[in-house]
Amino acid sequence: YAVGPAWKDAEGNWTKLADEINNEPTVEILEETSSKAKIRITYLIKAEDKADVTVVEEITVKPNEVFIEDRVYGEDVKQVRIYYPMLAFNGKDKTKVQMDRMTLRMELENKNVSFEILNSLEGKLTKTGESLKHRNGLVEPVYFDVTGTSAKYRISTEGGY
């Protein structure tokens, strides 16, 4: 699992972008200043037995926050889901978690991180219930099924609890 999109095809199968990066993506620098960097990454996913899928990620990095807009295109793309692999345990301490419909707030070792969906009016953040080994401890993936095939979300070090 990685932060980013997955999509559901006509047969109801979910495919994560993190599992499908076979080709070199196209990377464009859109803006760079001392306080902001913005890039566009375009992935073309080719499958032998399915229609091609294009994923475009626009990522804006500012001090203490990252804004991401994901757009997924393809004739078989029926729905988009955004994943966030939440660090649940660092080997010493369990992460304090507060989650509502569109915002996940985490605190660990007096540090706060928030993950929030910015553009979908329906849906809610959902834990997968999986506990996966990670180099930093254990992660539990959280996801949000967006309305349509694009999503805007933010990861920040402000707004923990």
Side-chain angles (χ1 to χ4, degrees):
Y1 286 91
V3 175
W7 55 92
K8 185 164 56 170
D9 63 22
E11 289 85 41
N13 300 312
W14 286 99
T15 302
K16 294 187 287 296
L17 175 62
D19 293 340
E20 291 295 320
I21 301 175
N22 302 330
N23 309 16
E24 286 290 317
T26 302
V27 179
E28 301 169 75
I29 299 172
L30 303 175
E31 181 179 348
E32 56 182 318
T33 67
S34 61
S35 62
K36 180 180 177 182
K38 184 174 183 178
I39 62 172
R40 179 183 299 127
I41 306 171
T42 304
Y43 304 90
L44 177 59
I45 311 300
K46 292 186 172 280
E48 293 179 22
D49 58 341
K50 295 181 183 178
D52 292 350
V53 173
T54 300
V55 178
V56 179
E57 294 190 301
E58 285 193 11
I59 302 169
T60 304
V61 180
K62 296 180 177 181
N64 300 320
E65 62 187 353
V66 177
F67 289 93
I68 304 164
E69 180 176 359
D70 290 334
R71 296 183 305 275
V72 183
Y73 305 100
E75 66 181 66
D76 288 343
V77 175
K78 303 303 177 197
Q79 187 175 8
V80 169
R81 169 179 286 178
I82 301 300
Y83 279 104
Y84 181 82
M86 172 184 69
L87 182 63
F89 180 71
N90 69 359
K92 178 184 167 197
D93 297 312
K94 188 175 179 182
T95 303
K96 294 178 186 173
V97 176
Q98 180 183 6
M99 190 166 74
D100 61 30
R101 196 173 69 77
M102 295 176 66
T103 305
L104 171 67
R105 293 178 182 86
M106 299 151 285
E107 180 184 349
L108 183 64
E109 296 179 346
N110 295 317
K111 296 177 184 167
N112 299 316
V113 175
S114 293
F115 170 78
E116 59 187 311
I117 301 295
L118 300 174
N119 72 319
S120 190
L121 300 175
E122 297 178 15
K124 68 176 186 167
L125 284 165
T126 304
K127 294 180 180 181
T128 65
E130 298 173 85
S131 184
L132 307 169
K133 291 182 183 179
H134 186 272
R135 69 175 181 261
N136 295 326
L138 297 174
V139 297
E140 179 177 357
V142 175
Y143 67 89
F144 189 96
D145 291 336
V146 299
T147 304
T149 58
S150 67
K152 293 179 183 178
Y153 49 103
R154 177 177 96 131
I155 302 166
S156 67
T157 56
E158 303 170 335
Y161 69 97

